[in-house]
Amino acid sequence: MPPSNWPTPAPFWAWAAERYERDPQRWLALQAQGGNVNLALLLAWCDEVGRRAPPLHTLETAIAPLEALLQEFRALRRRLKPQLAASDYHALLQHELHLEREQQARLLAAAALSESGDVAPGQALAHYQLRHAQNNPGH
C-alpha cells in the first residue's frame, strides 16, 4: 500500500473483479440507474475497510471525461456484437476492460489526493445507491 493507504491499481482491480463476480446483477442494476460501477466498487472498498470515502463530486469529476468515452464505447460494442466474429468482439471487450482499468486508476489517484467526505464510514455505497435509486425511481 502507498503511504496514503489507498490500494494500487492492480490489487484494486483484482479485489473489484472478485466483488463484482459475487453478484454482477447488483452492479449492473446500479449501472442501469445511471451509477458508475467502478465508483461504486471503490465506495464498497471504503466501506469494507472502514474508511470515510472522498466526496462523490471529487470522484465523479475525476472520471467524467473517461466515463463519457466508456459509455460510448460500450454502446458501440453492444451494437456491433451481432455483426462481429467472436474474436473481434472479444478484442472490443478487452479494450473496454482496459478503459475500465484506467477509470479505476483515475478514481484511486483522485481518492489519494482528496480529503474525506462527510458520509459515515460503512455507509458510502448505500448512500450512492440510494442517490441513484431516488434519481431513477422507475428502475
Side-chain angles (χ1 to χ4, degrees):
M1 293 270 178
S4 67
N5 293 324
W6 287 96
T8 55
F12 184 73
W13 177 261
W15 180 92
E18 191 273 326
R19 292 311 185 278
Y20 182 91
E21 288 301 318
R22 284 184 187 176
D23 188 6
Q25 293 308 314
R26 172 187 187 191
W27 306 107
L28 292 173
L30 177 64
Q31 185 175 25
Q33 293 175 333
N36 179 286
V37 173
N38 284 320
L39 175 53
L41 286 162
L42 179 63
L43 298 175
W45 180 86
C46 290
D47 288 349
E48 188 171 301
V49 301
R51 181 182 198 122
R52 193 176 293 267
L56 286 177
H57 69 85
T58 299
L59 299 173
E60 290 168 335
T61 299
I63 61 170
L66 189 55
E67 178 62 10
L69 175 65
L70 189 53
Q71 285 183 14
E72 289 176 26
F73 189 84
R74 187 177 291 127
L76 176 66
R77 176 186 54 80
R78 289 176 179 159
R79 197 168 48 253
L80 292 176
K81 184 177 182 177
Q83 304 165 31
L84 295 174
S87 61
D88 294 333
Y89 180 78
H90 181 73
L92 289 179
L93 188 57
Q94 290 305 305
H95 182 69
E96 184 177 331
L97 291 173
H98 173 76
L99 294 172
E100 295 273 3
R101 285 180 89 118
E102 175 61 27
Q103 189 175 67
Q104 284 187 1
R106 290 181 185 193
L107 281 166
L108 291 168
L113 296 173
S114 178
E115 299 293 324
S116 296
D118 58 357
V119 176
Q123 298 298 313
L125 180 57
H127 175 75
Y128 187 65
Q129 289 173 312
L130 181 60
R131 183 176 109 181
H132 283 283
Q134 289 172 340
N135 291 339
N136 298 286
H139 284 98

